[in-house]
Amino acid sequence: MAANLHHKHFFNDELGELDELASSLEFPRWLKDFTGLSEWPGIDPPYIPLDFIDFNVPTLVPIHKQGQCDMIPNEVSSVCSFDCHNCVSFDDIHTCSKLSQTFDDGPSQYTPQLLRQLDKTNTKSTFFTIGLNIIRYPEIYLKTHQKNHIMASHTWSHPFLPSLTNEQIVAQLQWSIWAMNATAGHLPKWFRPPYGGVDNRVRYFIRQFGMQLVLWDFDTFDWKTVGDLLKNDETILRDVKTFQKEKNNQGIILEHDSLSQTVSIGIKLNQHLPDQLTIPQCVGGIDYIKQFPR
Ligand SMILES: [Zn+2]
């Protein structure tokens, strides 16, 4: 991977901080030609017009911030808000025939530790990656991909999507996809919204890229172990075991490969769950919309 260093802002997801760091991924020629830009954008990426995107959202969903649910009707057909009402649509994936781990917010410097453990149990997992982190750690992204884990999208800079305009939502999706394509030459099929923030307006755009939503039915809250005495590796493992029993070993576990603590929990849970599926294996779907020969 060419080391073409640009200085730019990067978003440290869990801490909510802006770091001054360098991208190690070159801005590719095809993207330069297509966007007219010369470098990767920051946390508020510009919308680049795409001829296949239709902005005539057929359903009226009010723009809302996280937790602002007063004006969001609890109605499946029109709004179907997951963040406000836990509503899932017919094509959303929210469980799996085998209880399986999934990892959000990477790649990070801690991802390789997790990869070593997944190798030990021969687990193929699904990683929902953030564009800004892909261009920061392209080698770790590639390594994860080369180990045949499924690379999926988790936006460009991790915003709460229902609070964005239509153009901002499309920008988050397009730049995420371009970072994945520039790094590993593929177009993602699977998408997970940050904070579970999704409703029918957001779904409308995700579907236009051919992507499918992946939610979860077990949240580890692994990030809460930082400074929380009530949640730790042992309580999370205990809760997973209880869930596993209740659900007859079915489900999707939400975890993060972005922090040292969350990766350490991921390693422990993997030791307990040696037999897992990737999201496409869970539902009999494709790995990627397209993989370009390299
Ligand atoms: Zn996330």
Side-chain angles (χ1 to χ4, degrees):
M1 193 55 57
N4 182 4
L5 300 180
H6 311 279
H7 281 280
K8 224 180 269 111
H9 289 290
F10 287 88
F11 187 61
N12 184 327
D13 182 51
E14 300 301 334
L15 301 173
E17 282 177 353
L18 280 172
D19 290 340
E20 190 76 26
L21 285 165
S23 161
S24 54
L25 182 66
E26 197 176 350
F27 195 70
R29 180 63 199 266
W30 57 265
L31 205 45
K32 206 173 277 183
D33 292 345
F34 188 71
T35 62
L37 302 176
S38 56
E39 52 174 35
W40 292 104
I43 58 166
D44 194 12
Y47 162 66
I48 307 294
L50 294 173
D51 54 13
F52 63 88
I53 296 294
D54 165 15
F55 283 102
N56 296 311
V57 187
T59 167
L60 245 169
V61 184
I63 290 182
H64 69 281
K65 293 203 173 96
Q66 197 174 4
Q68 233 179 34
C69 293
D70 305 353
M71 76 273 226
I72 306 298
N74 189 0
E75 206 186 304
V76 176
S77 57
S78 62
V79 174
C80 193
S81 164
F82 182 73
D83 50 284
C84 285
H85 306 298
N86 246 345
C87 178
V88 289
S89 182
F90 68 95
D91 55 345
D92 295 352
I93 313 300
H94 54 89
T95 192
C96 179
S97 51
K98 265 183 198 167
L99 186 58
S100 298
Q101 294 173 279
T102 60
F103 297 95
D104 290 11
D105 296 1
S108 84
Q109 56 180 306
Y110 307 106
T111 309
Q113 291 174 43
L114 177 63
L115 296 180
R116 282 193 287 277
Q117 169 60 32
L118 298 179
D119 276 351
K120 284 184 194 163
T121 52
N122 197 24
T123 304
K124 300 302 173 207
S125 199
T126 311
F127 289 80
F128 295 88
T129 57
I130 297 173
L132 278 178
N133 288 342
I134 299 173
I135 62 165
R136 184 173 165 185
Y137 299 109
E139 292 84 3
I140 298 174
Y141 182 95
L142 266 180
K143 193 178 173 186
T144 311
H145 172 58
Q146 281 157 1
K147 287 179 177 293
N148 288 322
H149 298 294
I150 299 298
M151 309 312 287
S153 168
H154 194 45
T155 73
W156 170 256
S157 59
H158 210 266
F160 181 71
L161 294 171
S163 71
L164 303 186
T165 65
N166 294 341
E167 285 78 8
Q168 286 174 319
I169 292 170
V170 173
Q172 285 289 331
L173 302 177
Q174 65 185 174
W175 283 101
S176 154
I177 293 167
W178 290 337
M180 297 175 75
N181 195 4
T183 309
H186 54 204
L187 306 179
K189 173 67 186 171
W190 309 102
F191 177 85
R192 180 174 276 161
Y195 317 102
V198 72
D199 50 39
N200 278 346
R201 184 172 66 98
V202 177
R203 276 188 193 89
Y204 185 66
F205 294 110
I206 291 165
R207 288 175 183 143
Q208 290 186 47
F209 285 93
M211 294 193 292
Q212 213 171 329
L213 269 172
V214 181
L215 301 162
W216 58 85
D217 52 4
F218 187 92
D219 189 344
T220 55
F221 294 102
D222 52 357
W223 52 274
K224 271 195 159 181
T225 55
V226 183
D228 186 333
L229 298 175
L230 294 175
K231 226 170 206 1
N232 57 50
D233 302 19
E234 273 65 47
T235 59
I236 291 175
L237 182 59
R238 186 196 62 204
D239 293 347
V240 166
K241 282 179 178 172
T242 306
F243 180 85
Q244 184 179 25
K245 229 176 173 175
E246 279 171 7
K247 299 283 171 138
N248 197 21
N249 196 40
Q250 300 194 347
I252 296 173
I253 304 175
L254 171 60
E255 299 184 55
H256 299 84
D257 60 319
S258 47
L259 295 171
S260 167
Q261 278 98 325
T262 59
V263 162
S264 133
I265 289 163
I267 290 170
K268 282 184 185 155
L269 291 189
N270 185 255
Q271 289 163 347
H272 176 70
L273 298 166
D275 187 21
Q276 302 188 25
L277 300 176
T278 62
I279 292 301
Q281 289 171 336
C282 292
V283 295
I286 56 172
D287 293 351
Y288 299 93
I289 284 180
K290 198 172 172 69
Q291 289 189 272
F292 297 98
R294 292 169 76 80

